[in-house]
């Protein structure tokens, strides 16, 4: 009986070893397969509108109109990579970026064009900038100059202290503490951007990129066109109006919209323009609404310049 039990136990142990070895082998295969997965940038098409949500009813209607292969994704439509950059005060305003996106949607309808967020093109361009222009960055020069001795610091203050110090200086001569002070001055020398405008305290980003850089990045990422909007803040002023019963302020702000619309296939600009516009608001500040109104006018001018041939 003992021999039978020991024989059965040995069989069970052998089976368990085989079972667990199979599990380990399968897990190793899964790990090997998981190791082959690589992160990639998603190519996202702009929404049909700012708050647009694709629902099941829309998908069914879309399928009825376009058949079994509806162009929900890029499909065979020309692909336009859209990049918005520039001064931080303008770029941080969502209403400014939405103004650009909304007018692009109107000019380039979804049925004929695929407006894409050019995150992959932007990544390529930033890589070019980091590799090519690293050694051309600006430098900071710090100089120190002596200013002579500094007067002793006294805990007392006020008119009495001034009188007492004046009396002691008259009787015993002006006393110095012997401490030497220095004035530190710093001068910052930096390159301007490709259009000759200075870059403020922010990442240079695409400031050094030229037409051939946009063409190369667009070609590598598979786009037909690259649309780059660079926002730059100009001069601003506040005009005050004093009326009999009330006062008001009109806020003016100039904005430069520098546009580059690159045809990747030909390697040339399809459209290139620097548009200066002025936004205006009342009794507010030179941000937000003023920026949006200025960019609205600039985008209208640019979109009127571009003709869609069908």
């Amino acid at each position: 009986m003992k021999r039978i039990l020991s024989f059965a136990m040995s069989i069970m142990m052998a089976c368990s070893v085989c079972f667990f070895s199979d599990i380990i082998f399968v897990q190793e295969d899964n790990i090997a397969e998981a190791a082959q997965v690589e992160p990639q940038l998603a190519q996202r098409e702009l929404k049909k509108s700012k708050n647009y949500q694709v629902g099941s009813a829309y998908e069914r209607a879309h399928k009825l109109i376009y058949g079994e292969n509806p162009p929900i994704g890029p499909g065979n439509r020309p692909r336009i990579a859209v990049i918005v950059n520039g001064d931080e005060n303008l770029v941080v305003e969502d209403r400014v970026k939405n103004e650009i996106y909304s007018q692009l949607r109107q000019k380039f309808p979804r049925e004929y064009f695929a407006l894409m967020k050019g995150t992959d093109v932007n990544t390529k361009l930033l890589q070019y900038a980091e590799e090519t222009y690293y050694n051309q960055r600006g430098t900071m020069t710090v100089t120190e100059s002596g200013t002579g001795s500094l007067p002793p610091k006294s805990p007392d203050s006020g008119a009495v202290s001034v009188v007492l110090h004046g009396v002691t200086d008259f009787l015993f001569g002006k006393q110095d503490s012997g401490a030497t002070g220095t004035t530190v001055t710093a001068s910052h020398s930096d390159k301007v951007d490709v259009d000759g405008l200075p870059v403020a305290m922010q990442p240079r980003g695409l400031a050094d990129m030229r037409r051939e850089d946009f063409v190369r990045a667009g070609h590598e990422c598979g786009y037909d066109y690259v649309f780059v909007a660079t926002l730059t803040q100009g001069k601003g002023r506040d005009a005050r109006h004093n009326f009999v019963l009330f006062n008001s302020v009109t806020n003016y702000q100039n904005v430069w919209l520098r546009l580059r619309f690159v045809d990747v296939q030909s390697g040339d600009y399809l459209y290139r323009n620097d548009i200066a516009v002025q936004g205006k608001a009342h009794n507010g500040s030179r941000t937000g609404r003023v920026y949006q109104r200025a960019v609205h006018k600039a985008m209208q001018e640019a979109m009127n310049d571009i003709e869609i041939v069908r």
Side-chain angles (χ1 to χ4, degrees):
M1 186 67 180
K2 290 181 179 180
R3 291 180 180 178
I4 294 173
L5 289 174
S6 61
F7 179 72
M9 290 293 293
S10 62
I11 292 175
M12 291 175 64
M13 290 292 293
C15 291
S16 63
V17 170
C18 294
F19 176 73
F20 284 113
S21 64
D22 289 341
I23 292 177
I24 294 171
F25 181 73
V26 171
Q27 288 178 345
E28 289 178 351
D29 285 346
N30 291 336
I31 293 171
E33 292 178 359
Q36 296 176 0
V37 178
E38 297 179 357
Q40 294 181 350
L41 281 177
Q43 293 189 342
R44 296 179 295 158
E45 187 172 359
L46 293 181
K47 295 179 180 179
K48 191 175 181 180
S49 61
K50 178 183 176 183
N51 299 318
Y52 181 75
Q53 297 292 335
V54 178
S56 58
Y58 170 80
E59 292 178 353
R60 290 196 300 270
H62 206 64
K63 188 173 181 180
L64 289 174
I65 296 172
Y66 292 101
E68 292 296 329
N69 298 312
I72 296 178
N76 294 323
R77 296 168 294 163
R79 294 156 54 87
I80 304 175
V82 180
I83 300 174
V84 179
N85 68 100
D87 287 353
E88 60 179 290
N89 290 337
L90 290 157
V91 176
V92 298
E93 292 285 349
D94 288 337
R95 65 181 74 187
V96 170
K97 290 182 289 188
N98 289 331
E99 184 65 44
I100 295 174
Y101 295 148
S102 64
Q103 295 209 36
L104 285 175
R105 291 187 187 101
Q106 295 176 15
K107 190 65 180 183
F108 303 99
R110 187 182 181 89
E111 292 77 16
Y112 301 100
F113 298 93
L115 287 172
M116 312 291 292
K117 290 207 169 187
T119 308
D120 47 355
V121 175
N122 190 66
T123 301
K124 288 282 186 183
L125 293 170
L126 291 177
Q127 180 175 323
Y128 298 158
E130 184 176 321
E131 294 173 351
T132 306
Y133 300 98
Y134 176 79
N135 293 326
Q136 301 180 21
R137 298 304 183 211
T139 58
M140 179 75 75
T141 303
V142 179
T143 58
E144 294 186 3
S145 59
T147 59
S149 60
L150 297 176
K153 293 183 179 180
S154 175
D156 53 6
S157 60
V160 177
S161 174
V162 173
V163 173
L164 291 177
H165 281 298
V167 173
T168 54
D169 291 344
F170 175 77
L171 295 176
F172 305 104
K174 190 171 182 179
Q175 302 294 317
D176 291 334
S177 63
T180 301
T182 58
T183 300
V184 178
T185 60
S187 60
H188 184 231
S189 174
D190 199 357
K191 285 178 56 183
V192 295
D193 67 10
V194 69
D195 289 327
L197 295 179
V199 180
M201 295 297 293
Q202 61 193 40
R204 290 187 67 84
L206 309 183
D208 304 302
M209 295 294 98
R210 297 181 294 178
R211 176 180 49 82
E212 54 265 31
D213 298 318
F214 295 113
V215 172
R216 182 169 70 252
H219 178 73
E220 291 179 2
C221 297
Y223 290 99
D224 300 289
Y225 303 94
V226 177
F227 184 92
V228 183
T230 303
L231 299 162
T232 305
Q233 184 173 329
K235 293 183 178 180
R237 63 185 179 89
D238 299 326
R240 300 185 179 276
H241 312 286
N242 298 319
F243 299 101
V244 177
L245 299 178
F246 64 93
N247 299 329
S248 67
V249 178
T250 303
N251 312 108
Y252 298 93
Q253 178 62 56
N254 297 341
V255 172
W256 283 94
L257 181 61
R258 294 179 280 162
L259 295 178
R260 290 172 169 84
F261 194 18
V262 184
D263 186 340
V264 175
Q265 184 175 0
S266 68
D268 295 326
Y269 283 125
L270 183 66
Y271 181 74
R272 174 71 179 91
N273 203 357
D274 300 329
I275 304 174
V277 289
Q278 185 179 80
K280 180 175 69 173
H282 298 286
N283 300 323
S285 59
R286 286 182 274 112
T287 58
R289 288 180 301 160
V290 183
Y291 291 153
Q292 181 185 8
R293 291 173 181 177
V295 173
H296 175 80
K297 292 195 294 185
M299 283 295 296
Q300 273 191 330
E301 180 178 339
M303 296 299 99
N304 290 335
D305 292 337
I306 300 173
E307 183 180 2
I308 305 298
V309 180
R310 297 173 187 170

